[in-house]
Amino acid sequence: MTRHPEEKCDKSLGDSSHSNAAVTFRTPRLDEGVHLWRLASDSGTLDVNSRYSYLLWCRDFADTTVVGCLNDSVVAFVTGYLRPAAPDTLFVWQVAVDATQQRRGLAGRALDALVNQVAQRQPVAYVEATVTPDNMPSSRLFEGFARNRDAALTTQPLFTEKHFGGSAHLEEVLYRIGPLPR
Ligand SMILES: CC(C)(COP(=O)(O)OP(=O)(O)OC[C@H]1O[C@@H](n2cnc3c(N)ncnc32)[C@H](O)[C@@H]1OP(=O)(O)O)[C@@H](O)C(=O)NCCC(=O)NCCS
């Protein structure tokens, strides 16, 4: 999906203090990489990558990424990529929602928007992500996505603590959802 560089977040938003229904989703602009970095940093949970990597991401993987915009602010993002060896599989890399907007369904909507966006260009049969066992919101997010899409969900360890070189990082469990009904 290609966006015009001048396209901005929707400015005509009402009071959003109780609802984030006005949040709109689209591919990120290059200059929004720093907002992804900030949301990741503020999450307190995510592995925070360099600012450079988020800029690179917004340049080269914008089509498999969405940002959620509210009043000109980026309040959410989902980054993903199509696996080179399995291009019908969308790997969801990071999801973050601004703390003020959490627990109102925004991550679920963002994930839906991403999968729909990618599916406009090519079939997406599977969605994968890894979740650490202590991240209940994340596991519920992917369980909910599988439920809503009427798709099977399987889990299995992917990266163990040993892969991370010791106990510095909890294991990452692979969540694999699909096949998605067309
Ligand atoms: C994970 C995260 C993106 C969820 O965002 P969100 O907009 O609050 O999520 P949603 O409102 O769409 O809720 C998704 C599911 O998680 C559940 N959930 C959300 N926050 C929760 C919490 N703090 N505790 C328990 N469940 C929670 C919701 O109830 C919902 O489950 P349900 O459909 O069974 O009711 C957000 O908590 C976040 O940014 N966390 C920090 C970064 C992170 O851990 N990202 C995931 C790893 S990549």
Side-chain angles (χ1 to χ4, degrees):
M1 177 178 288
T2 308
R3 282 182 52 258
H4 297 294
E6 68 275 15
E7 191 175 337
K8 298 204 68 169
C9 297
D10 187 356
K11 280 184 168 177
S12 57
L13 305 175
D15 176 14
S16 58
S17 53
H18 300 296
S19 161
N20 55 24
V23 173
T24 56
F25 301 96
R26 57 164 174 75
T27 56
R29 293 192 306 257
L30 176 61
D31 61 305
E32 289 171 331
V34 70
H35 299 311
L36 273 62
W37 173 82
R38 189 160 292 117
L39 281 170
S41 303
D42 290 348
S43 76
T45 316
L46 293 176
D47 279 345
V48 184
N49 300 280
S50 67
R51 295 178 197 226
Y52 182 92
S53 72
Y54 290 100
L55 287 172
L56 207 55
W57 201 266
C58 289
R59 179 174 188 255
D60 286 339
F61 296 94
D63 285 345
T64 50
T65 295
V66 292
V67 287
C69 299
L70 182 67
N71 295 326
D72 277 352
S73 299
V74 175
V75 295
F77 74 80
V78 185
T79 50
Y81 64 88
L82 294 168
R83 296 191 65 211
D88 66 347
T89 301
L90 176 66
F91 187 88
V92 174
W93 178 40
Q94 289 191 319
V95 187
V97 170
D98 184 273
T100 64
Q101 302 296 325
Q102 290 181 5
R103 302 211 74 169
R104 299 186 212 166
L106 199 50
R109 287 173 55 209
L111 183 56
D112 259 334
L114 174 62
V115 175
N116 294 341
Q117 170 179 296
V118 177
Q120 280 178 8
R121 294 168 64 93
Q122 64 185 90
V124 178
Y126 294 92
V127 170
E128 290 185 348
T130 67
V131 178
T132 52
D134 64 340
N135 197 332
M136 161 92 74
S138 188
S139 62
R140 287 184 63 173
L141 168 66
F142 291 107
E143 286 161 8
F145 176 82
R147 211 167 43 239
N148 294 339
R149 297 273 175 151
D150 214 10
L153 165 65
T154 59
T155 62
Q156 65 176 94
L158 181 63
F159 305 130
T160 65
E161 292 182 2
K162 204 169 152 196
H163 286 120
F164 291 105
S167 57
H169 195 300
L170 288 177
E171 73 164 341
E172 293 275 356
V173 178
L174 178 67
Y175 281 49
R176 182 169 162 85
I177 299 166
L180 300 181
R182 291 218 177 173

